[in-house]
Amino acid sequence: MSTSEQKLAVPDELGSPQAKLVYLALLETGEATANDLQQLLGLSKLTLLPILSSLVAEGYAKRRKGTYVSR
């Protein structure tokens, strides 16, 4: 498997399709604000913010200076 294929692998632990979508968006962008992700994915903040919090809590993303970064 090439490095790019490994990079886009979605962890099995991410159950919801929306969490997978947000995770992949963070991988592709590298760093994004909640507003960036909202516009990119068309998700409401009420949907997006709990997903981001979950990704951070589970170690799949990190919050840094107002942005989110994939790990």
Side-chain angles (χ1 to χ4, degrees), residues 2-65:
S2 74
T3 304
S4 64
E5 288 172 349
Q6 290 174 357
K7 181 182 176 186
L8 293 178
V10 178
D12 292 331
E13 295 80 20
L14 297 178
S16 83
Q18 291 173 327
K20 292 175 182 180
L21 182 65
V22 173
Y23 176 79
L24 287 173
L26 280 175
L27 282 179
E28 282 299 304
T29 60
E31 182 175 354
T33 65
N35 286 337
D36 294 338
L37 291 168
Q38 181 184 13
Q39 290 178 353
L40 178 67
L41 302 174
L43 297 174
S44 71
K45 281 200 176 175
L46 287 174
T47 300
L48 184 60
L49 292 177
I51 292 170
L52 288 168
S53 293
S54 175
L55 290 174
V56 169
E58 295 172 15
Y60 295 112
K62 184 169 78 170
R63 183 149 189 195
R64 182 175 62 197
K65 297 181 184 175

